Amino acid sequence: MIRPFLKWAGGKTRVLPELLQHLPKGDCLIEPFVGGASAFLNTDYPRYVLADINADLINCYRVATTETEALISVAKTLFQHSNSKDEYTARRRSFNYQRNAGYGTNIELAALFLYLNRHGYNGMCRYNNNGDFNIPYGKYKNPYFPEQEIRQFAEKANDTKAAFVVADFRKTLTSTAINKNSAIYCDPPYLPASDTANFTQYHHSAFTREHHRQLAKYLKCVRYETDAAVVISNSDTPATREIYQHYQFHEVSVSRSLGAAVASRKKAGEVIGVLNVRRFRYA
């Protein structure tokens, strides 16, 4: 198994064995929510369209692909000399200033994003209402520098000529050349199992229940019009089963990775859903 070089809340590493059983063969895998890119790294499609609304994430992936050695060099220096709360706070401030002012280079911003990802609390990615990255310092003694994983990612991306796109799911599902040989895998921010478990702000605004309803509608339309295969994953909640009611669900159980304490992390139900065009009447 190839591991992602970024930590990512809700990443699919733990459920890959189950997920891979339900991803069909095809000419191209399209991911409107690429996130940590576990599915990309561990599948064998000839082509990939990897999209996300998070421009910082996509920039990091583009730089890792095209400027691999430069990213490793700049990021490694940050990892070697900046593991303290004061250094982290300064680097976070610099990252927010550079991205908002259009000051930093893509390589600098990608290296800072990787640094913040590996040094911030629990590897989370969150922004405030002003669009600033605001995850606190994680207090890790020796944060792992994923040099090998960056190289593996770059090799896979270059071999498959993967396209990295900054776009929301609506644009991805309407502007991409999707056909019957395409496979679409959607791993959107999860519907919360409870109000206290609600965390969906991977971008400047939350991914709401209404967004899930829109996603379900778009996927239903794409499936009907193109016959492309559609697979989703989400938390196993009544809301999930109601919104994605036309899917055949396969239940999986994984450990949550966002708990405040390891001892409090419990097994949580998730589902992998496969959309079959013959199971609904399009309206």
Side-chain angles (χ1 to χ4, degrees):
M1 179 184 297
I2 303 175
R3 300 187 67 85
F5 70 86
L6 292 173
K7 294 182 179 181
W8 205 254
K12 295 278 88 65
T13 301
R14 291 182 180 87
V15 300
L16 269 175
E18 292 84 1
L19 176 61
L20 295 178
Q21 295 177 35
H22 303 291
L23 287 177
K25 294 181 179 179
D27 293 340
C28 181
L29 179 66
I30 299 163
E31 291 196 65
F33 308 88
V34 64
S38 292
F40 159 66
L41 289 168
N42 291 281
T43 51
D44 296 307
Y45 292 89
R47 295 186 302 114
Y48 292 86
V49 175
L50 306 172
D52 204 282
I53 198 171
N54 189 321
D56 299 323
L57 176 68
I58 296 300
N59 176 65
C60 191
Y61 286 159
R62 288 173 176 169
V63 170
T65 301
T66 61
E67 303 287 348
T68 310
E69 298 307 318
L71 174 61
I72 289 172
S73 176
V74 176
K76 184 179 287 187
T77 299
L78 292 173
F79 275 66
Q80 290 172 341
H81 303 292
S82 301
N83 188 24
S84 71
K85 183 177 180 180
D86 288 344
E87 289 285 354
Y88 177 85
T89 301
R91 298 294 177 269
R92 186 180 64 187
R93 186 184 305 115
S94 176
F95 175 73
N96 286 326
Y97 173 76
Q98 290 187 48
R99 63 192 291 276
N100 292 335
Y103 175 73
T105 66
N106 289 338
I107 294 173
E108 291 171 329
L109 289 170
L112 282 167
F113 185 73
L114 172 58
Y115 163 83
L116 294 172
N117 173 263
R118 286 280 174 174
H119 288 73
Y121 177 73
N122 238 2
M124 294 171 65
C125 183
R126 183 186 65 198
Y127 300 82
N128 63 22
N129 290 334
N130 294 323
D132 290 337
F133 185 94
N134 68 348
I135 294 298
Y137 178 56
K139 301 180 182 179
Y140 300 111
K141 185 176 181 180
N142 293 302
Y144 176 67
F145 182 64
E147 182 171 347
Q148 179 181 353
E149 288 84 352
I150 294 172
R151 296 186 191 281
Q152 290 175 324
F153 182 96
E155 181 179 4
K156 177 69 179 287
N158 283 305
D159 285 349
T160 59
K161 295 181 172 57
F164 297 97
V165 183
V166 179
D168 73 359
F169 68 87
R170 290 161 291 226
K171 183 175 181 181
T172 303
L173 293 173
T174 55
S175 64
T176 305
I178 302 173
N179 58 51
K180 65 180 182 179
N181 296 316
S182 303
I184 301 170
Y185 171 54
C186 285
D187 182 36
Y190 277 16
L191 284 155
S194 66
D195 291 339
T196 57
N198 192 1
F199 174 76
T200 60
Q201 200 153 333
Y202 300 89
H203 188 54
H204 305 162
S205 57
F207 198 89
T208 66
R209 187 169 299 195
E210 179 56 32
H211 286 118
H212 279 280
R213 294 190 185 281
Q214 292 178 24
L215 175 61
K217 181 178 179 180
Y218 271 75
L219 290 172
K220 185 176 176 181
C221 180
V222 169
R223 178 74 171 107
Y224 181 85
E225 293 182 349
T226 69
D227 205 30
V230 175
V231 178
I232 66 159
S233 54
N234 217 279
S235 53
D236 191 358
T237 68
T240 300
R241 290 181 178 269
E242 185 270 323
I243 293 172
Y244 299 99
Q245 60 185 278
H246 298 295
Y247 289 71
Q248 178 182 357
F249 290 115
H250 305 272
E251 299 175 3
V252 295
S253 181
V254 298
S255 297
R256 291 294 191 198
S257 59
L258 287 177
V262 173
S264 69
R265 301 178 190 180
K266 300 178 180 179
K267 291 288 185 179
E270 298 188 11
V271 289
I272 296 168
V274 179
L275 181 59
N276 295 317
V277 70
R278 301 304 178 194
R279 299 184 71 238
F280 61 85
R281 183 180 65 183
Y282 182 69

